Amino acid sequence: MKLFYSFLALLSGCLWATAQLQSFEPTSDISGTRFGSYVEITGEELVVSSSSSTDSPGKVYIFNTNLEQIQSIYPNEASIDDEFGSCLAVQNNFLAISASGDDTNGENTGAVYIYKKDGTQYDFVQKILAPDGMPNDNFGSSIKIQNGFLFVVADGDDSETDNFTGSVYVYVLAGDQWVYSQKLTSVTPQNWWSGGGAQLIMGSKILIYNNNTNLSISSSTVSTSFSLVNSLWEFQYSSQLGPVPGGGGPPTYDLQISEGQTFRIAEAEEGDYYFSVNNILPPWYSESFGFETPNWPNEIRFFRIYVNVGILFLGNANTPASTKRPVMFFKRIGTDWNYQSLFYGNGPENVGDYFGTSIATAGGKAVIGAPLEGNGKAYYASEAILKTDSFSKNTIEVYPNPVQDILKITNDIGDLSSVKVYSVTGKLLLAVESNIKEIDMTNFDTGMYFIKITTTAGTKQSFKVIKN
């Protein structure tokens, strides 16, 4: 057994390339399906929703960072098809929860429920309906709270124009109540559109920047900008973000603003994805730059970007339906963004889990949803995990883990000189003395293995891998 103990001692001093996230799910008042469909994080609380099933309504659950469930939320008046929990927003002790299928003022007119924290619990304070709601407006299709404003998207609203759909309702805080202030619609030049018909302009991405004096509301093709003037948002300009009839650039899948910079994820003509950073919108005119990323199959693409004070995630990857989804984690070191690790859920390798479909970051922490892992899971990444020195440089990566057949190896610190596979007893099972990119584990028995990788520069790393 001497070899086995020596091997474990070696592993204890190695850099693990994949952080261990903590999974959690409701422990009481379990209802609905697809837990992890929407997630939020604030202070020491994690907010996660489930979706309605045919016979069980979706609910919203509150957890502390010890992953203890402290509350479940569901209004008594709601019905299963109201889509309660279809979007979440939280800030300054207020929690806004969408029910975009609410039928109070007509079929699918939508509603937003407001809760305020009192001690350890969130108490109901208000139900908000659009002042001019019409059937299928989907009021609450997206929501955001920031700096005393509540923004509510109604992506089905077409009351203001014949050619464009979607609007954003703005509410301001007065005591404990949110009071309607104004309705924002697009004023996009019509010569941008050659085919006529309705186009969704007022998209679900709402960004406030420049010390809370500027507002951008974006879809995949157009960003509409407003400035705060005498407590009201005034239209400034619209800019193309992607292909529209008659011309335009690559589609924009997501935008984020953090610390005065705009981050954009878009698809270039050759099918690659890139990012752009600048200090003002629109980002279309900024100089783009690429992140250093590991090599993986070309079919994997990301459609969401999440940034918060030095940490960045790419999520909502498009993988085959029977494949687990990855989340890519970056960390800012100095002025540069450096790739750190891939995250995966703990579900079976050959089952799509939608891990990373929803991600929220705040205070150096993150929560990630995996709504199709069983009845749904959420994962918590603590500040200690995300900011540990073990992620301070790019390293070797092995994935997927657990693995069923092919274990892939990515490496950005030099060629590999050897790859060795050991059993849990320390027995050497496979040794390859070359710069390989993958290991075929199809014929290995189910169980745990240790992979030891050495580069030509002498760097050594070891990994614990589960074979399904």
Side-chain angles (χ1 to χ4, degrees):
M1 297 294 291
K2 183 176 180 180
L3 176 60
F4 176 54
Y5 288 127
S6 298
F7 188 66
L8 289 181
L10 171 66
L11 288 174
S12 66
C14 291
L15 171 63
W16 295 98
T18 301
Q20 299 301 307
L21 306 182
Q22 298 171 272
S23 66
F24 61 100
E25 56 191 316
T27 54
S28 63
D29 198 22
I30 300 172
S31 183
T33 186
R34 297 194 176 193
F35 175 78
S37 293
Y38 294 90
V39 299
E40 270 291 354
I41 183 170
T42 176
E44 298 302 312
E45 294 174 336
L46 317 177
V47 185
V48 186
S49 70
S50 63
S51 301
S52 295
S53 63
T54 56
D55 57 359
S56 179
K59 295 187 177 182
V60 174
Y61 299 87
I62 314 294
F63 300 80
N64 59 30
T65 53
N66 292 323
L67 306 186
E68 299 166 332
Q69 181 180 325
I70 56 180
Q71 187 178 1
S72 64
I73 299 176
Y74 185 75
N76 293 330
E77 65 184 61
S79 62
I80 289 180
D81 59 0
D82 281 356
E83 299 182 38
F84 181 78
S86 54
C87 194
L88 305 171
V90 60
Q91 190 178 65
N92 295 337
N93 292 326
F94 282 97
L95 169 61
I97 304 174
S98 290
S100 57
D102 181 270
D103 298 332
T104 300
N105 285 342
E107 185 177 7
N108 296 325
T109 49
V112 173
Y113 290 83
I114 303 294
Y115 297 81
K116 185 178 181 183
K117 187 177 180 181
D118 183 8
T120 61
Q121 298 285 303
Y122 282 89
D123 296 334
F124 171 77
V125 295
Q126 185 180 8
K127 180 179 179 180
I128 299 176
L129 304 172
D132 58 352
M134 298 291 290
N136 299 312
D137 276 359
N138 298 319
F139 179 81
S141 52
S142 182
I143 52 180
K144 184 181 182 69
I145 300 175
Q146 185 167 330
N147 195 41
F149 289 99
L150 167 65
F151 301 92
V152 182
V153 178
D155 64 13
D157 179 58
D158 58 3
S159 61
E160 300 295 324
T161 173
D162 294 331
N163 295 314
F164 307 104
T165 66
S167 59
V168 176
Y169 295 79
V170 183
Y171 296 79
V172 295
L173 184 61
D176 286 345
Q177 297 288 304
W178 293 89
V179 179
Y180 173 74
S181 173
Q182 65 182 126
K183 180 178 179 179
L184 306 179
T185 56
S186 176
V187 205
T188 304
Q190 301 229 359
N191 59 12
W192 280 10
W193 308 88
S194 61
Q199 299 286 345
L200 180 61
I201 300 301
M202 300 299 285
S204 61
K205 180 59 64 174
I206 300 172
L207 302 171
I208 302 179
Y209 58 104
N210 284 351
N211 294 321
N212 299 308
T213 61
N214 290 89
L215 168 69
S216 170
I217 305 172
S218 302
S219 68
S220 63
T221 56
V222 174
S223 171
T224 306
S225 296
F226 301 83
S227 291
L228 188 62
V229 180
N230 296 325
S231 300
L232 293 176
W233 295 99
E234 291 188 1
F235 171 81
Q236 297 298 308
Y237 59 86
S238 291
S239 57
Q240 289 176 258
L241 293 179
V244 295
T252 293
Y253 295 112
D254 204 6
L255 291 170
Q256 287 286 346
I257 292 179
S258 178
E259 300 180 280
Q261 292 184 314
T262 301
F263 297 77
R264 175 180 178 230
I265 181 170
E267 184 175 7
E269 293 181 358
E270 63 272 18
D272 294 330
Y273 284 66
Y274 67 91
F275 306 85
S276 60
V277 170
N278 66 341
N279 291 317
I280 59 173
L281 291 175
W284 174 247
Y285 302 102
S286 67
E287 182 179 357
S288 65
F289 70 95
F291 285 161
E292 300 260 344
T293 61
N295 297 317
W296 50 28
N298 291 330
E299 66 269 16
I300 297 181
R301 295 289 185 266
F302 293 91
F303 292 91
R304 292 292 180 267
I305 185 169
Y306 307 84
V307 190
N308 184 266
V309 191
I311 59 175
L312 182 151
F313 297 91
L314 298 182
N316 196 28
N318 67 321
T319 58
S322 60
T323 304
K324 294 172 64 173
R325 288 187 173 190
V327 166
M328 184 184 285
F329 171 49
F330 293 82
K331 181 179 176 182
R332 188 181 60 209
I333 302 175
T335 59
D336 297 326
W337 289 93
N338 292 268
Y339 165 71
Q340 299 296 300
S341 180
L342 288 178
F343 295 107
Y344 283 91
N346 295 331
E349 179 190 350
N350 59 346
V351 177
D353 54 8
Y354 272 52
F355 178 75
T357 299
S358 57
I359 303 176
T361 69
K365 303 181 285 288
V367 59
I368 303 173
L372 292 189
E373 183 182 324
N375 198 46
K377 289 283 182 67
Y379 289 81
Y380 174 57
S382 67
E383 186 174 10
I385 289 176
L386 295 181
K387 293 192 175 182
T388 179
D389 289 341
S390 64
F391 294 115
S392 62
K393 61 181 180 179
N394 294 335
T395 60
I396 300 168
E397 187 79 32
V398 297
Y399 69 98
N401 188 10
V403 62
Q404 188 172 22
D405 42 32
I406 303 299
L407 183 72
K408 297 183 180 297
I409 303 172
T410 62
N411 168 36
D412 53 16
I413 57 175
D415 291 340
L416 306 184
S417 62
S418 70
V419 177
K420 298 179 180 180
V421 181
Y422 294 83
S423 70
V424 293
T425 63
K427 180 180 180 181
L428 179 63
L429 303 177
L430 175 68
V432 180
E433 306 291 332
S434 67
N435 185 35
I436 63 172
K437 300 298 183 183
E438 59 184 38
I439 304 172
D440 188 350
M441 300 191 70
T442 305
N443 296 323
F444 283 69
D445 293 335
T446 299
M448 183 171 69
Y449 296 87
F450 296 109
I451 314 296
K452 180 181 177 182
I453 300 176
T454 304
T455 70
T456 54
T459 300
K460 297 180 180 180
Q461 291 189 50
S462 298
F463 305 87
K464 179 174 66 175
V465 173
I466 304 298
K467 168 67 168 64
N468 284 338

